[in-house]
Amino acid sequence: MARPDHDPGRPLDPRIERTRRVVLGAAITELARSGYGAFAIESVAARSGVAKSTIYRHWSGKLALIADALEALNAQPGPEPRHGTPRERILRLVEHLATVLADSDLAACMPALVDAAERDPEARRSLNDYNPRRRSALSAAIAEAGASGDLRPDLDPDMAATALAGAIVYRRLMTGQPFPPARVADLVATVLGSGV
């Protein structure tokens, strides 16, 4: 989500950026602790020490705040500069997901996000936009591996990315156990084949 208080042509005031990071961190912690239904801007204000009016000046409500927090606090390894082989980029992206979902407030938010998507159509739409964007870097790396001959050319990059991410998310949500980041290479070989 874009920062509604910021003109991209101007540098962001460091005080505003600090406050923003504190509020976003408090929002993730609140979502992890309270769930989506009980999540309240008042609680984020109390947890962050930032006035409720300041929070509402920058975010229209809880869904906007949660969406911005998810985007800002879960930065993926960037595609540029393109270091390494497609396999190394695939491994790096999948390891990032496994690490984030191993032990973090973001991982603890997952049940709340599933609940939100089930109960709130606006939250469902937001998550349905968010998830493909998050998978796009992995899909692109898989497509590149297919184009270079490292993978079967008929492999569907989005389906393969969904299978990789899905295994990690499923394990975290359904068993309560994180997928071990050290086993990511095994997962990638199982889903994509050992020729990657």
Side-chain angles (χ1 to χ4, degrees):
M1 172 179 212
R3 296 178 193 148
D5 62 323
H6 179 59
D7 171 4
R10 287 189 349 223
L12 192 62
D13 181 319
R15 293 171 298 163
I16 292 173
E17 183 60 23
R18 253 191 325 275
T19 298
R20 180 177 176 276
R21 298 293 289 184
V22 167
V23 170
L24 295 175
I28 289 296
T29 301
E30 185 64 24
L31 182 62
R33 304 291 188 275
S34 301
Y36 186 78
F39 183 98
I41 297 293
E42 293 79 6
S43 300
V44 174
R47 189 178 291 280
S48 67
V50 174
K52 184 170 77 167
S53 60
T54 300
I55 295 172
Y56 276 116
R57 190 174 325 128
H58 300 287
W59 294 279
S60 59
K62 78 178 186 177
L63 185 55
L65 177 55
I66 290 167
D68 197 13
L70 290 172
E71 289 285 352
L73 300 180
N74 188 18
Q76 288 180 309
E80 297 298 336
R82 291 180 100 61
H83 294 300
T85 66
R87 176 187 176 85
E88 289 166 343
R89 286 194 294 282
I90 292 166
L91 289 170
R92 194 166 52 245
L93 288 163
V94 178
E95 283 171 359
H96 168 77
L97 178 61
T99 300
V100 166
L101 294 186
D103 183 29
S104 70
D105 277 345
L106 286 166
C109 289
M110 289 186 62
L113 294 172
V114 170
D115 182 54
E118 284 296 312
R119 299 173 188 272
D120 181 342
E122 191 176 346
R124 183 179 311 114
R125 279 190 297 278
S126 179
L127 288 168
N128 285 341
D129 289 342
Y130 173 79
N131 288 323
R133 277 196 323 273
R134 296 298 295 185
R135 263 194 331 273
S136 65
L138 182 56
S139 294
I142 293 168
E144 186 179 339
S148 71
D150 290 337
L151 290 176
R152 296 185 345 246
D154 64 334
L155 187 68
D156 181 315
D158 192 53
M159 188 176 292
T162 299
L164 288 167
I168 293 169
V169 171
Y170 175 85
R171 177 142 176 190
R172 176 65 176 88
L173 273 176
M174 301 308 291
T175 70
Q177 299 297 313
F179 187 92
R183 300 281 323 270
V184 162
D186 296 334
L187 174 64
V188 168
T190 299
V191 173
L192 300 181
S194 58
V196 181

